[in-house]
Amino acid sequence: MQFGVQVNVYRTTWQDVRATVEAMDAGNWDSLWFADHFIPPGASREQESLTAFEGFSAIAAVAGMTKKLRLGHLVAGNTYRNPALVAKMSGTIDHVTEGRFTLGIGAAWYQREHETYGWDFPSMKERQDRFEEACELLRNLFRSKDPVDFSGKYYRLDQSRLSPGSFADPIPILVGGTGEKRTLRTLAKFGDVMNLDGWAGGGMSLEYYHHKVQVLEQHCENVGRDPAEIKKTLLMPCYLTEDKDLIERVVNNLGPGSVAGPKQYIIDRIGEFSDAGVGEIMFGGIASGNLELLKQIEDEVVSAF
């Protein structure tokens, strides 16, 4: 089992982000992930001036600060950038890190940030159509040694040479989202990593995970893909506590599958997911700069695996 953290890049300072990154790179962590929004999700109009570090700039900065952590986003929004530009940025970061970059990407959902920056916010269907097309384009660029042609409805390439491309192995594409009809089908066709978001998935129950994997496996069968090729990961909100009132509040807010409780409970829950085939867990809910909590989870939970 591998472990990472989704490090908060909203409502924080770069000093706190840096301190967290340095502590993780010096510790027993495997990966570090940033979200990708241009205003803090859920911010009121009065709060839109609060800090929100841009995802690719932040990852590029961290690439030069780290030696061993794998880096990526949970997840970049496809509508924010042309996917060929995303491929170019990804190739650069992958070379800077000597192969430690994963491209995490989703269809995008936050309408307000599109409005405030003047970007089109297409319908759900169009965003899914664009996303599937973008993932095909990205997979082609990451895996081809030759110039790539691509002619889609929304994106086109004319003898595109991705240089630098993938540093060694093709840059993995992590497909974010749990939509059963489109997102998991796109993952089956073009993705390398499945990531289920516990903030959106009832806190992350084992039953929820099994159901989504079964849907993915059916899509894989339909498109002729071996599901074993796709790594299974979780973004897991984690509350290491014996405070019964806090546990109750977390369960009420996130759902009955929430991972909130004392050390052994969390270890047992992670063990269940490990037995079910999950290869990596990215913890969420650890504030940037909270090095005490980061160290506590590392010492009491991560060390058990």
Side-chain angles (χ1 to χ4, degrees):
M1 175 68 76
Q2 296 174 315
F3 292 95
V5 176
Q6 185 187 48
V7 175
N8 180 44
V9 286
Y10 312 130
R11 299 180 171 93
T12 187
T13 66
W14 187 252
Q15 288 75 19
D16 281 344
V17 174
R18 175 188 289 274
T20 303
V21 170
E22 291 175 344
M24 289 183 64
D25 203 50
N28 293 320
W29 298 96
D30 298 293
S31 63
L32 180 151
W33 307 82
F34 289 147
D36 182 43
H37 288 291
F38 294 78
I39 56 177
S44 65
R45 295 298 175 93
E46 292 74 20
Q47 296 172 327
E48 288 181 1
S49 61
L50 295 174
T51 302
F53 291 106
E54 192 277 326
F56 271 90
S57 302
I59 286 288
V62 167
M65 295 164 49
T66 57
K67 298 297 183 183
K68 69 180 184 68
L69 293 171
R70 287 179 291 100
L71 308 173
H73 298 97
L74 290 175
V75 289
N78 179 57
T79 52
Y80 308 144
R81 309 168 186 89
N82 179 282
L85 172 62
V86 169
K88 187 70 174 178
M89 293 190 294
S90 299
T92 298
I93 296 171
D94 201 45
H95 275 255
V96 171
T97 61
E98 298 185 335
R100 291 186 284 123
F101 182 68
T102 295
L103 175 62
I105 190 165
W109 60 271
Y110 194 10
Q111 182 172 353
R112 173 55 190 158
E113 67 188 345
H114 290 74
E115 294 171 348
T116 193
Y117 282 94
W119 301 326
D120 291 339
F121 185 71
S123 67
M124 172 70 80
K125 180 184 184 304
E126 182 175 330
R127 277 180 282 133
Q128 288 290 347
D129 290 343
R130 285 177 174 272
F131 179 55
E132 183 170 342
E133 198 172 292
C135 287
E136 182 178 4
L137 179 154
L138 288 160
R139 186 177 181 86
N140 289 346
L141 283 173
F142 289 161
R143 291 173 177 267
S144 178
K145 301 296 184 183
D146 300 316
V148 175
D149 287 316
F150 186 87
S151 180
K153 181 177 180 180
Y154 301 102
Y155 308 115
R156 291 175 176 80
L157 299 175
D158 179 6
Q159 291 289 284
S160 177
R161 296 178 181 270
L162 187 62
S163 180
S166 301
F167 176 77
D169 295 331
I171 296 169
I173 298 174
L174 180 154
V175 172
T178 61
E180 296 182 7
K181 292 183 178 180
R182 295 298 307 274
T183 304
L184 293 181
R185 188 182 74 181
T186 296
L187 170 60
K189 294 171 72 174
F190 305 117
D192 305 291
V193 184
M194 177 188 200
N195 183 261
L196 298 186
D197 183 353
W199 299 107
M204 192 53 66
S205 70
L206 190 61
E207 293 75 19
Y208 174 82
Y209 168 76
H210 279 307
H211 171 69
K212 295 297 182 180
V213 168
Q214 288 172 358
V215 174
L216 174 63
E217 289 174 344
Q218 183 60 59
H219 283 307
C220 286
E221 181 178 339
N222 293 342
V223 302
R225 181 91 184 272
D226 181 357
E229 296 176 4
I230 299 174
K231 180 179 179 180
K232 314 303 190 298
T233 71
L234 308 178
L235 171 56
M236 178 183 285
C238 179
Y239 295 83
L240 177 58
T241 181
E242 297 190 13
D243 184 333
K244 294 182 179 180
D245 290 337
L246 174 58
I247 295 170
E248 183 177 355
R249 290 198 302 273
V250 170
V251 171
N252 287 338
N253 289 334
L254 290 181
S258 301
V259 181
K263 176 179 73 173
Q264 193 57 52
Y265 171 78
I266 292 176
I267 291 171
D268 291 343
R269 288 293 311 279
I270 292 173
E272 291 175 348
F273 285 113
S274 177
D275 292 342
V278 173
E280 183 167 8
I281 288 175
M282 301 80 152
F283 291 118
I286 304 174
S288 296
N290 192 342
L291 304 187
E292 182 178 351
L293 177 58
L294 183 73
K295 183 65 172 172
Q296 183 185 10
I297 292 178
E298 180 181 349
D299 289 345
E300 298 186 15
V301 177
V302 173
S303 64
F305 296 87

